[in-house]
Amino acid sequence: MTTKTPPDKIGVCLVDDQTLVRQGIRSLLELSDDISVIAEAGDGAQAVAVIPQARPNVVLLDMRMPGMSGLDVLNALAAKNALPPTIILTTFDDDQLVLAGLKAGARGYLLKDVSLEQLVDAVKTVAGGGSLVAPVVTQRLLSGLERMQNDFTSLEQPDPLTDRETEILRLMAGGYSNKEIANSLAVAEGTVKNHVSNILSKLGVRDRTRAVLKAFEIGIV
């Protein structure tokens, strides 16, 4: 099912093969006045069909589904340039799968036992252009960066960042959007966007999440 996103609300698409899980998450999100569940998908193939049609502001995506997995969904939508801001939802503390999802374009991940407050905050953060990498990066996840083969499309030795770029990258790692970073640093949002573009170029990555992961990998943050 799909509906239009109501004005002044964040439209969310739920993707999970378990109906009870979708119903539970929907019930939680409906307690927020700022969020509306506008679409659902019970498997990966349905998600790939529904998401471009529904055009949600945020996707909550289960990674472990029979047939087409959440990772397959991320890759398929990214290949079509049709991947909305996406949060991985998982019951598994699976570092390798989470890292693969982040590198495929997800903005962060949450465990399914997340609280209502955490879930709502996460949806708002990602809808606002932020990411959820830093708050949930555990030591095991960082260790996973060392264990897995590095397939970032990036430079071996990134160009040095300026002090301001490093400051902005650390705020990006904290999940802050460009607007929030601009407010924090008392500069124009356009200035922050220019810095972010320079950061991505210097790190040799194509988006914010990969920039944060690369920053953790080389010890900038």
Side-chain angles (χ1 to χ4, degrees):
M1 75 89 203
T2 62
T3 60
K4 290 185 178 180
T5 302
D8 302 322
K9 286 200 174 188
I10 299 169
V12 171
C13 177
L14 303 178
V15 182
D16 197 296
D17 63 305
Q18 298 182 43
T19 302
L20 287 177
V21 171
R22 294 200 310 274
Q23 290 176 343
I25 295 173
R26 170 186 279 274
S27 297
L28 285 177
L29 291 176
E30 286 179 346
L31 295 175
S32 170
D33 294 332
D34 303 316
I35 297 172
S36 176
V37 177
I38 63 167
E40 293 185 21
D43 58 50
Q46 187 179 7
V48 171
V50 165
I51 289 171
Q53 176 186 353
R55 301 181 69 178
N57 303 113
V58 176
V59 175
L60 295 176
L61 176 66
D62 184 25
M63 290 299 279
R64 293 185 178 271
M65 296 182 289
M68 194 174 194
S69 69
L71 183 58
D72 293 333
V73 171
L74 288 168
N75 287 326
L77 291 175
K80 299 177 181 178
N81 291 319
L83 179 64
T86 299
I87 300 171
I88 296 167
L89 277 177
T90 179
T91 54
F92 299 86
D93 188 13
D94 190 332
D95 300 340
Q96 301 295 321
L97 190 60
V98 168
L99 282 169
L102 292 173
K103 293 169 79 171
R107 294 280 186 88
Y109 84 96
L110 294 171
L111 296 179
K112 288 183 181 177
D113 61 359
V114 66
S115 69
L116 170 62
E117 182 180 5
Q118 290 172 317
L119 181 60
V120 170
D121 285 348
V123 169
K124 290 181 178 179
T125 295
V126 169
S131 62
L132 300 171
V133 178
V136 294
V137 170
T138 62
Q139 189 57 46
R140 288 181 58 214
L141 189 56
L142 290 175
S143 297
L145 284 171
E146 300 173 0
R147 290 197 306 269
M148 58 189 307
Q149 182 178 2
N150 181 10
D151 58 359
F152 284 94
T153 305
S154 61
L155 306 175
E156 287 300 319
Q157 296 294 333
D159 292 336
L161 301 181
T162 65
D163 290 344
R164 178 46 64 93
E165 288 168 350
T166 300
E167 184 178 20
I168 289 175
L169 180 56
R170 286 172 177 158
L171 290 170
M172 289 165 58
Y176 294 97
S177 66
N178 287 348
K179 183 176 181 180
E180 290 170 330
I181 293 172
N183 290 339
S184 173
L185 300 179
V187 298
E189 186 174 353
T191 300
V192 173
K193 289 181 180 179
N194 289 336
H195 282 305
V196 171
S197 295
N198 290 337
I199 291 168
L200 299 184
S201 177
K202 287 184 176 182
L203 294 181
V205 296
R206 68 171 183 258
D207 58 44
R208 297 167 69 98
T209 301
R210 287 177 177 81
V212 173
L213 288 172
K214 186 66 177 179
F216 278 114
E217 180 191 3
I218 62 179
I220 293 177
V221 296

